[in-house]
């Protein structure tokens, strides 16, 4: 009987752990007031990394700051309701490949002459589960390039699009 109870507890534990650990997440980007920037960003667990794939349209050609922000709130017309960069580890702002960076720092996405941008990046800092998970926070695309050094924003200017990161179908 003890053995069966033990098995049951183990089974329940595995179910609960699975329920709390998404392997894929998505942010659908909606334009802030005054522009037409849309797109989507997927985050897929791949070993101990998270693969980020983004497609964004309606941009001006060139680089645009691209970050996960603290609050999963895109309700304000300027996107400022999403707060600052998601930074659960209390680090400095930096490039995505820097050791000192906000968890949300994805650097820039670069648009071509037609205003389309595509990004693929394997991230070693972001998590899809646990206390520091990016799920429930928000993805922001900026007006200007992230200079990868100005604290704490990268001086990327206004916010063109915002999308709350939610659990996706694996
Ligand atoms: Cu940002
Ligand atoms: Zn940052």
């Amino acid at each position: 009987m003890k053995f069966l109870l033990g098995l049951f507890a183990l089974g329940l534990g595995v179910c609960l752990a699975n329920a709390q650990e998404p392997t894929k997440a998505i942010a659908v980007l909606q334009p802030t007031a005054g522009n037409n920037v849309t797109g989507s960003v997927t985050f897929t667990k791949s070993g101990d990394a998270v693969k980020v794939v983004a497609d964004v349209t309606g941009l001006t050609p060139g680089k645009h700051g691209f970050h996960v922000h603290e609050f999963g709130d895109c309700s304000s017309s300027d996107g400022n309701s999403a707060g600052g960069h998601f930074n659960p580890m209390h680090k400095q702002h930096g490039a995505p490949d820097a050791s000192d960076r906000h968890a949300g720092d994805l650097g820039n996405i670069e648009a071509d002459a037609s205003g389309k941008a595509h990004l693929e990046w394997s991230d070693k800092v972001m998590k899809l589960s646990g206390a520091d998970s990016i799920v429930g926070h928000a993805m922001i695309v900026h007006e200007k390039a992230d200079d990868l050094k100005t604290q704490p924003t990268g001086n990327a200017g206004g916010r063109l699009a915002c999308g709350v990161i939610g659990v996706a179908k694996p």
Side-chain angles (χ1 to χ4, degrees):
M1 189 62 190
K2 248 186 184 166
F3 174 72
L4 283 177
L5 274 177
L7 261 186
F8 177 73
L10 184 70
L12 189 66
V14 168
C15 284
L16 288 174
N18 282 341
Q20 287 164 350
E21 287 184 10
T23 55
K24 190 172 177 188
I26 185 165
V28 178
L29 303 172
Q30 305 286 354
T32 55
N35 73 86
N36 294 306
V37 176
T38 58
S40 68
V41 190
T42 59
F43 303 87
T44 309
K45 190 169 165 26
S46 174
D48 50 5
V50 169
K51 186 171 188 206
V52 183
V53 178
D55 283 284
V56 182
T57 62
L59 293 162
T60 54
K63 290 181 176 177
H64 296 269
F66 194 60
H67 321 114
V68 177
H69 281 241
E70 185 174 7
F71 305 119
D73 180 355
C74 296
S75 62
S76 72
S77 60
D78 58 6
N80 286 340
S81 49
H85 296 185
F86 180 49
N87 185 24
M89 326 269 269
H90 307 286
K91 301 254 189 168
Q92 296 278 99
H93 177 70
D97 59 355
S99 57
D100 204 11
R101 56 163 263 199
H102 300 140
D105 288 345
L106 285 171
N108 288 291
I109 192 163
E110 187 162 6
D112 63 17
S114 72
K116 286 187 183 151
H118 177 76
L119 175 118
E120 293 191 20
W121 166 250
S122 179
D123 199 275
K124 297 276 168 61
V125 176
M126 290 182 173
K127 301 273 180 270
L128 295 184
S129 59
D132 295 342
S133 170
I134 59 166
V135 175
H137 301 269
M139 197 67 225
I140 293 277
V141 180
H142 288 271
E143 181 188 3
K144 300 196 291 175
D146 181 337
D147 66 13
L148 309 177
K149 55 179 194 246
T150 301
Q151 300 301 326
T153 62
N155 194 30
R159 302 172 181 202
L160 299 180
C162 182
V164 178
I165 301 168
V167 175
K169 190 175 180 183

